[in-house]
Amino acid sequence: MRIVLMRHGRPDFPLKGWIRARDLAGFAARYEASDIQDMPPDEAVGLAGNARWVAGSGLRRSLASSQRLGIPDPGLDPLFNETPIPHFSRGGLILPVTAWVVLLRLLWLLGYKNNGESLREAKRRATKAAESLDALARKHETVLLVGHGMMNHLIAIALRKRGWHGPNRPGQGFWGYGIYESADE
């Protein structure tokens, strides 16, 4: 049995510029609705072609990536959605977008969850996602999840706890992936 955790393609959304704290919610909503701008590498297309089941999140980046991999109708489940970055609802502090992303993700790791889910909640969801992928792999043998960076990482941890063998972190770049195999086939 095999599970491939793949990150979506490059978002068609500029993660640059400066933004005020109070504008982060709108920025995040636009990012969540964004499409992708690139085509998958041949290796990713090959992995998708070998999968007997393809799963994806409910977010546009995942669906568009699946379609570019040649999978027009993946099994979508919001269980696989990216962990939302918490953010402020007000405030005039202006920072570069990349600084906000790093700062807010660090705050999230330290327990901040305003307008998002906590790390504990995300880990619980990742455990459920790993259980779902495990069941799909038992049924279909080879499963591909076209997901997201942080959630794929948390799912990888949960899969390894369930006895799956694979990298500590699946591929982090766009179209990056990690392959997980089960010892009990």
Side-chain angles (χ1 to χ4, degrees):
M1 291 184 300
R2 177 180 278 189
I3 296 172
V4 178
L5 302 179
M6 184 179 293
R7 189 173 181 208
H8 59 77
R10 181 176 302 282
D12 188 14
F13 189 85
L15 291 175
K16 56 186 176 184
W18 293 72
I19 191 166
R20 290 185 195 281
R22 67 176 164 256
D23 298 326
L24 287 168
F27 181 86
R30 289 189 305 279
Y31 178 74
E32 290 304 312
S34 68
D35 204 334
I36 62 166
Q37 62 176 298
D38 59 351
M39 294 301 291
D42 291 342
E43 195 171 356
V45 174
L47 286 168
N50 290 329
R52 293 189 181 160
W53 182 262
V54 177
S57 78
L59 300 177
R60 178 77 189 129
R61 298 183 308 280
S62 174
L63 178 59
S65 297
S66 295
Q67 291 169 340
R68 294 218 179 152
L69 287 166
I71 312 297
D73 191 25
L76 301 180
D77 189 334
L79 187 64
F80 303 122
N81 283 8
E82 180 62 297
T83 59
I85 294 179
H87 55 272
F88 305 107
S89 299
R90 56 184 180 193
L93 179 62
I94 301 174
L95 291 175
V97 169
T98 53
W100 277 120
V101 171
V102 170
L103 174 65
L104 292 169
R105 199 46 99 182
L106 286 173
L107 289 172
W108 180 73
L109 290 170
L110 295 171
Y112 181 70
K113 70 170 202 165
N114 194 40
N115 298 309
E117 72 182 330
S118 70
L119 177 57
R120 180 181 298 200
E121 292 164 339
K123 286 180 177 179
R124 271 192 237 127
R125 187 161 56 88
T127 297
K128 289 179 184 176
E131 291 168 1
S132 175
L133 291 170
D134 183 284
L136 287 166
R138 290 181 190 286
K139 182 176 180 181
H140 300 284
E141 286 295 315
T142 304
V143 174
L144 167 66
L145 169 63
V146 181
H148 307 272
M150 182 59 74
M151 183 50 74
N152 280 1
H153 172 64
L154 295 176
I155 292 170
I157 291 169
L159 285 172
R160 290 171 52 88
K161 285 181 181 176
R162 293 180 66 81
W164 287 78
H165 302 285
N168 290 332
R169 268 190 92 90
Q172 296 174 13
F174 298 112
W175 301 112
Y177 62 88
I179 298 173
Y180 299 83
E181 296 183 333
S182 175
D184 44 293
E185 294 195 35

